[in-house]
Amino acid sequence: MAKESKAAKTKSAKGKEEKWELRLYIAGNTPKSMAALANLKKYCEHHLCDKYTLEVIDLLVHPQLAAGDQILAIPTLVRKVPVPIRKIIGDLSNEEKVLVGLNLKPIN
């Protein structure tokens, strides 16, 4: 029997499934930024299906947007919804750490 992800079980008070809101901060098309984006898309498609929105913010184009989420390093992933806000820094190459960081998988 396949395990359901925590996101699949997460429902709002009205019984409607929550849409995860993710924001990835990058700095141009560097290998680390592109790896983080590719890894994140892969994890989202596998674990969240169509229950997420992803906003990619290039700080070389919009540096002023770093202050809003207090971004100090890049790439940084910010989970805005569901609350609480969570942040993960790096290229997101360790799937287990990313899933635990997003609270999609319990700590083993």
Short mmCIF file of all heavy atoms in Angstrom, two decimals, residues 75-101:
data_model
loop_
_atom_site.label_atom_id
_atom_site.label_comp_id
_atom_site.label_asym_id
_atom_site.label_seq_id
_atom_site.Cartn_x
_atom_site.Cartn_y
_atom_site.Cartn_z
N PRO A 75 20.95 29.57 -3.46
CA PRO A 75 19.49 29.57 -3.55
C PRO A 75 18.84 29.28 -2.20
O PRO A 75 19.40 28.56 -1.38
CB PRO A 75 19.19 28.46 -4.55
CG PRO A 75 20.41 27.62 -4.62
CD PRO A 75 21.56 28.44 -4.16
N THR A 76 17.66 29.86 -2.00
CA THR A 76 16.87 29.63 -0.80
C THR A 76 15.43 29.34 -1.21
O THR A 76 14.84 30.08 -2.00
CB THR A 76 16.87 30.86 0.14
OG1 THR A 76 18.20 31.08 0.60
CG2 THR A 76 15.96 30.66 1.33
N LEU A 77 14.88 28.27 -0.64
CA LEU A 77 13.48 27.92 -0.85
C LEU A 77 12.70 28.38 0.37
O LEU A 77 13.11 28.11 1.51
CB LEU A 77 13.34 26.40 -1.02
CG LEU A 77 11.92 25.87 -1.06
CD1 LEU A 77 11.15 26.43 -2.25
CD2 LEU A 77 11.93 24.35 -1.09
N VAL A 78 11.58 29.06 0.14
CA VAL A 78 10.71 29.51 1.22
C VAL A 78 9.34 28.88 1.02
O VAL A 78 8.75 29.00 -0.05
CB VAL A 78 10.57 31.05 1.24
CG1 VAL A 78 9.64 31.50 2.36
CG2 VAL A 78 11.93 31.71 1.38
N ARG A 79 8.86 28.18 2.05
CA ARG A 79 7.50 27.66 2.04
C ARG A 79 6.63 28.68 2.75
O ARG A 79 6.74 28.90 3.95
CB ARG A 79 7.42 26.32 2.77
CG ARG A 79 5.99 25.74 2.71
CD ARG A 79 5.83 24.52 3.57
NE ARG A 79 5.71 24.94 4.96
CZ ARG A 79 5.58 24.09 5.98
NH1 ARG A 79 5.60 22.80 5.77
NH2 ARG A 79 5.47 24.55 7.21
N LYS A 80 5.77 29.37 1.98
CA LYS A 80 4.90 30.41 2.53
C LYS A 80 3.64 29.79 3.13
O LYS A 80 3.17 30.21 4.17
CB LYS A 80 4.51 31.42 1.45
CG LYS A 80 5.68 32.08 0.75
CD LYS A 80 6.43 33.02 1.64
CE LYS A 80 5.77 34.37 1.67
NZ LYS A 80 6.52 35.33 2.48
N VAL A 81 3.04 28.84 2.42
CA VAL A 81 1.82 28.17 2.84
C VAL A 81 2.03 26.69 2.60
O VAL A 81 2.53 26.32 1.53
CB VAL A 81 0.59 28.67 2.05
CG1 VAL A 81 -0.65 27.87 2.38
CG2 VAL A 81 0.37 30.15 2.28
N PRO A 82 1.68 25.81 3.52
CA PRO A 82 1.04 26.07 4.81
C PRO A 82 2.03 26.67 5.82
O PRO A 82 3.22 26.45 5.73
CB PRO A 82 0.57 24.68 5.27
CG PRO A 82 1.45 23.71 4.56
CD PRO A 82 1.86 24.37 3.27
N VAL A 83 1.46 27.41 6.74
CA VAL A 83 2.26 28.02 7.79
C VAL A 83 2.64 26.94 8.79
O VAL A 83 1.92 25.95 8.91
CB VAL A 83 1.51 29.19 8.46
CG1 VAL A 83 1.34 30.33 7.49
CG2 VAL A 83 0.18 28.76 9.00
N PRO A 84 3.70 27.03 9.51
CA PRO A 84 4.61 28.17 9.58
C PRO A 84 5.54 28.23 8.37
O PRO A 84 5.78 27.22 7.71
CB PRO A 84 5.42 27.90 10.85
CG PRO A 84 5.43 26.41 10.97
CD PRO A 84 4.10 25.96 10.43
N ILE A 85 6.06 29.42 8.12
CA ILE A 85 7.01 29.61 7.02
C ILE A 85 8.26 28.80 7.33
O ILE A 85 8.72 28.75 8.47
CB ILE A 85 7.35 31.11 6.86
CG1 ILE A 85 6.12 31.86 6.36
CG2 ILE A 85 8.54 31.30 5.93
CD1 ILE A 85 6.29 33.36 6.30
N ARG A 86 8.78 28.13 6.31
CA ARG A 86 10.00 27.34 6.46
C ARG A 86 10.97 27.73 5.35
O ARG A 86 10.54 28.05 4.24
CB ARG A 86 9.68 25.86 6.40
CG ARG A 86 8.70 25.48 7.52
CD ARG A 86 8.60 24.05 7.70
NE ARG A 86 9.66 23.63 8.62
CZ ARG A 86 9.65 22.48 9.25
NH1 ARG A 86 8.67 21.65 9.06
NH2 ARG A 86 10.63 22.14 10.05
N LYS A 87 12.27 27.67 5.64
CA LYS A 87 13.29 28.02 4.65
C LYS A 87 14.32 26.90 4.55
O LYS A 87 14.70 26.30 5.56
CB LYS A 87 14.01 29.31 5.04
CG LYS A 87 13.11 30.53 5.04
CD LYS A 87 13.87 31.76 5.45
CE LYS A 87 12.92 32.93 5.57
NZ LYS A 87 13.59 34.12 6.06
N ILE A 88 14.76 26.65 3.32
CA ILE A 88 15.81 25.68 3.06
C ILE A 88 16.82 26.34 2.14
O ILE A 88 16.45 26.87 1.09
CB ILE A 88 15.25 24.40 2.41
CG1 ILE A 88 14.17 23.79 3.30
CG2 ILE A 88 16.37 23.40 2.14
CD1 ILE A 88 13.40 22.67 2.64
N ILE A 89 18.09 26.30 2.53
CA ILE A 89 19.15 26.94 1.75
C ILE A 89 19.98 25.87 1.05
O ILE A 89 20.29 24.84 1.63
CB ILE A 89 20.05 27.79 2.66
CG1 ILE A 89 19.24 28.91 3.30
CG2 ILE A 89 21.24 28.37 1.89
CD1 ILE A 89 19.95 29.65 4.40
N GLY A 90 20.32 26.11 -0.22
CA GLY A 90 21.20 25.21 -0.95
C GLY A 90 20.58 24.74 -2.25
O GLY A 90 19.52 25.22 -2.66
N ASP A 91 21.25 23.78 -2.90
CA ASP A 91 20.79 23.32 -4.21
C ASP A 91 19.69 22.26 -4.14
O ASP A 91 19.25 21.75 -5.17
CB ASP A 91 21.96 22.83 -5.07
CG ASP A 91 22.61 21.57 -4.51
OD1 ASP A 91 22.12 21.01 -3.50
OD2 ASP A 91 23.62 21.14 -5.11
N LEU A 92 19.25 21.94 -2.93
CA LEU A 92 18.13 21.02 -2.71
C LEU A 92 18.41 19.62 -3.26
O LEU A 92 17.49 18.90 -3.63
CB LEU A 92 16.83 21.58 -3.30
CG LEU A 92 16.50 23.03 -2.95
CD1 LEU A 92 15.22 23.48 -3.65
CD2 LEU A 92 16.38 23.23 -1.46
N SER A 93 19.67 19.22 -3.29
CA SER A 93 20.03 17.93 -3.88
C SER A 93 19.74 16.75 -2.96
O SER A 93 19.60 15.63 -3.43
CB SER A 93 21.50 17.92 -4.29
OG SER A 93 22.32 18.16 -3.16
N ASN A 94 19.61 16.98 -1.64
CA ASN A 94 19.32 15.90 -0.71
C ASN A 94 17.80 15.85 -0.52
O ASN A 94 17.22 16.60 0.26
CB ASN A 94 20.04 16.13 0.61
CG ASN A 94 19.87 14.96 1.57
OD1 ASN A 94 18.82 14.33 1.64
ND2 ASN A 94 20.92 14.68 2.32
N GLU A 95 17.15 14.93 -1.24
CA GLU A 95 15.69 14.87 -1.24
C GLU A 95 15.12 14.66 0.16
O GLU A 95 14.16 15.32 0.54
CB GLU A 95 15.21 13.75 -2.16
CG GLU A 95 13.69 13.66 -2.24
CD GLU A 95 13.19 12.64 -3.25
OE1 GLU A 95 14.01 11.90 -3.83
OE2 GLU A 95 11.98 12.61 -3.48
N GLU A 96 15.71 13.78 0.93
CA GLU A 96 15.17 13.51 2.27
C GLU A 96 15.21 14.76 3.15
O GLU A 96 14.24 15.09 3.82
CB GLU A 96 15.94 12.38 2.95
CG GLU A 96 15.33 12.01 4.29
CD GLU A 96 15.91 10.75 4.90
OE1 GLU A 96 16.68 10.04 4.23
OE2 GLU A 96 15.59 10.49 6.07
N LYS A 97 16.33 15.50 3.11
CA LYS A 97 16.43 16.73 3.90
C LYS A 97 15.42 17.77 3.44
O LYS A 97 14.84 18.50 4.25
CB LYS A 97 17.84 17.31 3.83
CG LYS A 97 18.83 16.56 4.69
CD LYS A 97 20.18 17.23 4.70
CE LYS A 97 21.14 16.48 5.59
NZ LYS A 97 22.45 17.11 5.64
N VAL A 98 15.19 17.87 2.13
CA VAL A 98 14.22 18.83 1.61
C VAL A 98 12.81 18.44 2.07
O VAL A 98 12.05 19.29 2.54
CB VAL A 98 14.29 18.92 0.07
CG1 VAL A 98 13.15 19.78 -0.47
CG2 VAL A 98 15.63 19.49 -0.36
N LEU A 99 12.47 17.17 1.96
CA LEU A 99 11.13 16.73 2.35
C LEU A 99 10.89 16.89 3.84
O LEU A 99 9.80 17.30 4.27
CB LEU A 99 10.90 15.27 1.92
CG LEU A 99 10.94 15.01 0.43
CD1 LEU A 99 10.73 13.53 0.14
CD2 LEU A 99 9.93 15.86 -0.32
N VAL A 100 11.90 16.62 4.64
CA VAL A 100 11.79 16.84 6.10
C VAL A 100 11.69 18.34 6.37
O VAL A 100 10.86 18.79 7.17
CB VAL A 100 12.97 16.21 6.85
CG1 VAL A 100 13.01 16.67 8.31
CG2 VAL A 100 12.90 14.68 6.79
N GLY A 101 12.50 19.14 5.68
CA GLY A 101 12.49 20.60 5.87
C GLY A 101 11.16 21.23 5.51
O GLY A 101 10.72 22.18 6.13
#
